Amino acid sequence: MKRIVFLLTGLLASSQILHAQNNEATKYECIYEYKVNNGNPGEVYSTILMLNDTAAMFSDYSAYLVDSVLLVGGTDEENEHYQKQMVRNEYFFDQTVWQNIPDGKYTVCGTITPERYYYTEDANTIVWTMAEGTDTICGYSCGKATGEYGGRLWTVWYTSQIPVVYGPWKLCGLPGLVMKAKDTKGIHTFEAIAFRRGNIDIQAPNTKNHLKTTREKFVKTKNIFEKNPMGNIPVESIGHVRIDKHGGGKGSIFIDGQQLRIHPNGYIPLELQ
């Protein structure tokens, strides 16, 4: 088998020219079901990848709905409805990843309550090994590859029928959209459940209220924090606490305006290092 590195800049060259000529990127959306096998029945998240000719953005689906309402000028009632839906979302993917923004890099925004952080890292550093085997996902024929990132070995299925280098989260760099990805321990799985035309533009990262950090610092701090979120927030850093009751005994905790989300079955990080 061959070991191949696919560089983002080379594969995007022709699409960047197309983008410049048309002055508007072709937009698509791929919805992924993200499963974490950390108990019975485990956790299931709804996530979405927005992509165009030159970039992509991966986020939680409920956050996407909130942003969509704002961008299309929805009513106050619609905005409130989706805001509540996002707050009450028990399984919320709390990282937003911009792929190829800026050029050749990822920009990642994430939360370690009560702060928001962002960092950039080089895109497509995964060395993919082509593997035998095929699959059909969402009606698209997929090839198979393996690669290591963040201390985990991943097996992915990608389709050259959608010739872009993007994928869920940071699993990118192949000659086709990554439709499914699973780590070798069977804990984390991303799988496409729908691919469709999009009509919302990808917004540039808004890091105004975020603290700048590095990937290494963020991953290390995040993994420690999530083991015991309530116990790992320094008391002296807390300005005010708010609890919103939803009914049924459940509620949402906000610390200095930032929601504290607790994983019901414990936290198993995507990145180990």
Side-chain angles (χ1 to χ4, degrees), residues 126-184:
I126 303 173
V127 178
W128 293 108
T129 299
M130 297 312 191
E132 295 182 359
T134 60
D135 201 350
T136 300
I137 302 170
C138 289
Y140 293 92
S141 299
C142 298
K144 187 178 180 181
T146 61
E148 188 275 335
Y149 178 80
R152 293 191 184 279
L153 180 63
W154 291 88
T155 299
V156 303
W157 290 262
Y158 67 95
T159 178
S160 57
Q161 293 175 296
I162 306 174
V164 298
V165 296
Y166 310 125
W169 186 48
K170 303 176 185 178
L171 302 172
C172 310
L174 284 155
L177 180 66
V178 173
M179 303 294 281
K180 183 178 179 179
K182 187 173 185 177
D183 79 292
T184 52

Side-chain angles (χ1 to χ4, degrees), residues 20-257:
Q21 290 176 340
N22 293 345
N23 200 33
E24 182 177 353
T26 303
K27 296 181 280 286
Y28 294 95
E29 297 171 348
C30 190
I31 300 173
Y32 294 86
E33 189 176 73
Y34 167 49
K35 294 181 179 179
V36 183
N37 182 18
N38 60 350
N40 188 11
E43 300 178 358
V44 181
Y45 299 72
S46 293
T47 59
I48 185 169
L49 180 73
M50 301 170 62
L51 58 147
N52 59 35
D53 297 325
T54 60
M57 185 182 82
F58 184 77
S59 71
D60 186 86
Y61 190 75
S62 62
Y64 157 84
L65 291 175
V66 170
D67 291 340
S68 298
V69 170
L70 293 174
L71 288 172
V72 301
T75 65
D76 291 341
E77 290 77 12
E78 289 173 324
N79 182 46
E80 182 180 2
H81 169 76
Y82 288 115
Q83 287 281 358
K84 287 182 178 179
Q85 190 177 74
M86 181 175 68
V87 167
R88 297 177 183 182
N89 187 358
E90 186 175 21
Y91 300 126
F92 180 85
F93 191 85
D94 66 355
Q95 292 186 42
T96 301
V97 181
W98 285 264
Q99 301 169 15
N100 204 39
I101 297 178
D103 289 347
K105 294 185 178 294
Y106 299 140
T107 297
V108 182
C109 288
T111 301
I112 304 174
T113 307
E115 302 292 352
R116 298 178 180 180
Y117 295 87
Y118 82 97
Y119 63 88
T120 60
E121 63 176 303
D122 291 337
N124 297 332
T125 58
I126 303 173
V127 178
W128 293 108
T129 299
M130 297 312 191
E132 295 182 359
T134 60
D135 201 350
T136 300
I137 302 170
C138 289
Y140 293 92
S141 299
C142 298
K144 187 178 180 181
T146 61
E148 188 275 335
Y149 178 80
R152 293 191 184 279
L153 180 63
W154 291 88
T155 299
V156 303
W157 290 262
Y158 67 95
T159 178
S160 57
Q161 293 175 296
I162 306 174
V164 298
V165 296
Y166 310 125
W169 186 48
K170 303 176 185 178
L171 302 172
C172 310
L174 284 155
L177 180 66
V178 173
M179 303 294 281
K180 183 178 179 179
K182 187 173 185 177
D183 79 292
T184 52
K185 292 187 177 181
I187 298 173
H188 300 278
T189 303
F190 296 91
E191 184 166 4
I193 59 174
F195 182 78
R196 66 196 188 193
R197 283 271 188 174
N199 56 14
I200 301 296
D201 292 326
I202 295 174
Q203 301 299 301
N206 181 0
T207 58
K208 180 180 179 181
N209 297 317
H210 293 64
L211 300 176
K212 187 175 182 179
T213 187
T214 64
R215 173 188 171 273
E216 291 75 16
K217 289 180 180 179
F218 181 83
V219 170
K220 183 178 180 180
T221 305
K222 177 78 167 176
N223 289 352
I224 293 172
F225 173 82
E226 293 291 354
K227 290 179 180 178
N228 181 16
M230 292 292 289
N232 284 327
I233 300 176
V235 175
E236 62 274 14
S237 71
I238 299 175
H240 58 86
V241 177
R242 186 181 89 243
I243 299 177
D244 292 350
K245 301 295 288 185
H246 302 155
K250 292 187 177 181
S252 298
I253 302 172
F254 293 82
I255 298 177
D256 296 345

